[in-house]
Amino acid sequence: MSNIVKITVPDLGDFRDVPIVEMPVSVGDVIAAGDTIVVVESDKATLDVPAEIAGRIAALHVGMGDKVSEGSLLAEIEAEDAQDLSLIHI
């Protein structure tokens, strides 16, 4: 049984519609918890958005240059270990 976890943009403070400037993962990549899914850029800084769990990238819902805000769906990860799911706050 697969356990798909949706990864969304965390709270970005006062920033909305920030562009994605880097995507270091692709569909099918196996990642560790804490690995960067995307990098977004505000007018003041860049922010790495990490995966909260280890697993395989099952789907990406954004691309380079797309603009995202808090709560935007970035990716779906097939969890490597069902126990990892207890750590996710959705």
Side-chain angles (χ1 to χ4, degrees), residues 13-84:
D14 293 334
F15 298 104
R16 297 178 52 84
D17 299 323
V18 294
I20 294 173
V21 296
E22 188 178 338
M23 293 189 64
V25 298
S26 300
V27 172
D29 287 356
V30 175
I31 61 168
D35 285 356
T36 299
I37 301 291
V38 299
V39 179
V40 297
E41 183 176 57
S42 72
D43 59 343
K44 296 188 180 208
T46 58
L47 172 70
D48 293 357
V49 179
E52 297 176 347
I53 62 164
R56 184 185 61 80
I57 302 290
L60 289 170
H61 294 278
V62 293
M64 286 290 295
D66 286 355
K67 293 187 177 185
V68 296
S69 298
E70 179 181 354
S72 297
L73 179 61
L74 298 174
E76 294 178 42
I77 298 176
E78 184 175 356
E80 183 175 271
D81 183 352
Q83 291 179 351
D84 286 344

